């Protein structure tokens, strides 16, 4: 995507959808094809939790166990840090904002420096998402890829994240992608969205 008429430091595309919709896989493909830097909010939080020197580690771990959303100040600070440390200025922010609180926090911290270009919304039936996550859990080592946590995470997504997606629909910023297909078929639709922007 060329140019930035708002003269902000960073261009951002939010990537949203329930756990297991294939957001991470698609972000990897976008990163290699269109040059956007993939920032996974969940992955940044997982890395921070494992850092013995982190001031946030224990609090992040507690939210992961409960299936609740980590406070926005923590997530925003991690995202901002990654952007500032990057030599690029185009970013995919995967799995964020996930709640009204997230959106409000983002607007407070990032509005002056980041321009939200688009929201990619990966939509997929619940049962497919659960099946994919359970399969991923066999090899990923992720402690939250189990049925109990997944049920909580999908419920949290419906209650907290869907209103955010609706908010961006009203702003005409959402591209909905049907994610109950193969990764290559999904990426064909994703590529069309980027090509509309001149990528």
């Amino acid at each position: 995507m060329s140019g930035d008429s708002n003269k902000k430091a960073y261009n951002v595309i939010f990537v949203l959808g329930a756990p297991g919709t294939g957001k991470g896989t698609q972000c990897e493909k976008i990163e290699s094809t269109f040059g956007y830097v993939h920032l996974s909010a969940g992955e940044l939080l997982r890395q921070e939790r494992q850092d013995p020197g982190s001031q946030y580690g224990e609090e992040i771990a507690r939210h992961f166990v409960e299936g609740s959303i980590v406070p926005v100040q923590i997530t925003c600070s991690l995202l901002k840090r990654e952007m500032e440390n990057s030599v690029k200025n185009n970013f995919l922010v995967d799995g964020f904002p996930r709640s009204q609180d997230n959106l409000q926090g983002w607007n407070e911290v990032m509005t002056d420096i980041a321009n939200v270009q688009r929201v990619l919304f990966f939509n997929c039936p619940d049962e497919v998402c659960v099946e994919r996550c359970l399969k991923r859990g066999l090899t990923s080592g992720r402690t939250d890829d189990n049925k109990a946590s997944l049920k909580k995470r999908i419920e949290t997504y419906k209650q907290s994240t869907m209103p955010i997606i609706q908010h961006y629909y009203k702003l005409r910023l959402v591209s909905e992608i049907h994610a109950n297909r193969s990764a290559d078929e999904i990426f064909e639709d994703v590529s069309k969205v980027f090509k509309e922007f001149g990528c």
Side-chain angles (χ1 to χ4, degrees), residues 18 25 44 86 116 127 132 139 164 171 188:
T25 300
L44 290 175
S86 176
V116 179
E127 60 273 15
R132 285 176 178 172
T139 56
I164 303 308
L171 298 177
E188 279 183 31

Side-chain angles (χ1 to χ4, degrees), residues 61-75:
R62 180 171 56 79
H63 284 284
F64 274 27
V65 169
E66 292 172 0
S68 54
I69 293 173
V70 173
V72 66
Q73 293 82 2
I74 295 175
T75 311

